[in-house]
Amino acid sequence: DIQMTQSPSSLSASVGDRVTITCQANQDIRNYLNWYQQKPGKAPKLLISEASNLETGVPSRFSGSGSGTDFTFTISSLQPEDVATYYCQQFDYVPPRITFGPGTKVDVK
Amino acid sequence: EVQLVQSGAEVRKPGESLKISCQGSGYSFSSYWIAWVRQMPGKGLEWMGIIYPSDSDTRYNPSFEGQVTLSVDKSLRTAYLQWSSLKASDSAIYYCARPALSDLLAALDIWGQGTSVTVSS
């Protein structure tokens, strides 16, 4: 099975700071990696698909990069409304399966 | 507007059965898979499985196979998640979600609001 790790598990940063979250797979997953934001008490929201494709309507301060086993999610300038838990998610076709990373909780100082 | 609307919160006792629902609107319901995702209290997201409304083709996460049943009623544009005998450990929020493309593993871009299930004696 493909295992996903995310780091850090939590972080606290100031408004305007650059925030980076990493996600690592234990085997090559090409660009089969999506990123979600989940605000407290809300359903997850898709931010980035296939490692780097920003979803329509998502602010440009969010970005993603990487391929193979190492991926990065970045918030270029943290805003108060970005307080949330962020999850990476990989998918595998054989067998068909989706796996979420453990999540990174982001707070504003 | 494309949306998924889930049934309301449920409280059950251990051993009871339960079926929760997820109704799609604003798109061709039969043409997109519907996934179910569990979130236990204070924990992360777990993909449970996925069903294709057109032919009820279903794929389960091995961790959930035999524990739950996915089904769909195309005429009602509704997908279901059911348990035959609930356990306390089934207490969680359950989300349905739709992939962005007609591909069972495409990114999940439409989510229901979640259904809270509490199992307690």
Side-chain angles (χ1 to χ4, degrees):
Chain A
D1 287 2
I2 297 176
Q3 306 296 325
M4 308 297 296
T5 57
Q6 252 183 270
S7 61
S9 58
S10 66
L11 66 89
S12 183
S14 299
V15 171
D17 282 354
R18 183 180 185 88
V19 168
T20 299
I21 298 168
T22 63
C23 184
Q24 190 168 53
N26 64 346
Q27 58 185 274
D28 188 342
I29 59 170
R30 295 196 274 182
N31 69 335
Y32 294 168
L33 195 286
N34 306 313
W35 290 96
Y36 298 81
Q37 173 193 65
Q38 186 179 31
K39 295 185 177 182
K42 300 295 186 182
K45 175 185 176 182
L46 176 66
L47 299 182
I48 290 170
S49 61
E50 295 185 345
S52 60
N53 296 331
L54 193 68
E55 292 299 297
T56 302
V58 175
S60 59
R61 65 180 179 273
F62 296 101
S63 65
S65 65
S67 67
T69 60
D70 296 296
F71 301 86
T72 300
F73 172 82
T74 300
I75 307 173
S76 61
S77 177
L78 186 68
Q79 300 301 305
E81 60 266 31
D82 300 335
V83 169
T85 300
Y86 294 85
Y87 295 93
C88 61
Q89 173 246 306
Q90 70 85 21
F91 52 97
D92 195 4
Y93 283 96
V94 183
R97 186 165 178 172
I98 281 174
T99 305
F100 291 92
T104 295
K105 187 175 181 182
V106 174
D107 282 324
V108 172
K109 287 180 184 174
Chain B
E1 179 192 7
V2 176
Q3 60 178 350
L4 298 172
V5 178
Q6 297 185 232
S7 50
E10 302 278 1
V11 179
R12 291 285 190 277
K13 291 182 167 52
E16 293 186 339
S17 62
L18 176 64
K19 192 174 190 177
I20 63 174
S21 66
C22 168
Q23 186 175 46
S25 62
Y27 71 98
S28 177
F29 182 75
S30 293
S31 300
Y32 290 81
W33 295 77
I34 294 284
W36 289 90
V37 176
R38 183 176 79 174
Q39 187 166 40
M40 298 179 74
K43 301 298 183 183
L45 305 170
E46 300 173 273
W47 183 79
M48 303 175 71
I50 197 164
I51 187 165
Y52 192 56
S54 180
D55 60 4
S56 295
D57 184 6
T58 306
R59 315 295 174 87
Y60 290 97
N61 179 335
S63 298
F64 291 92
E65 190 149 24
Q67 309 305 308
V68 297
T69 301
L70 305 187
S71 61
V72 66
D73 186 328
K74 285 189 296 185
S75 67
L76 297 178
R77 304 174 61 87
T78 300
Y80 301 96
L81 169 63
Q82 69 179 84
W83 297 259
S84 59
S85 180
L86 286 160
K87 303 185 285 288
S89 57
D90 293 319
S91 297
I93 295 175
Y94 293 88
Y95 294 100
C96 62
R98 193 206 77 170
L101 305 170
S102 297
D103 178 328
L104 82 167
L105 296 179
L108 301 170
D109 73 333
I110 304 295
W111 291 71
Q113 81 277 21
T115 295
S116 174
V117 173
T118 301
V119 184
S120 175
S121 55

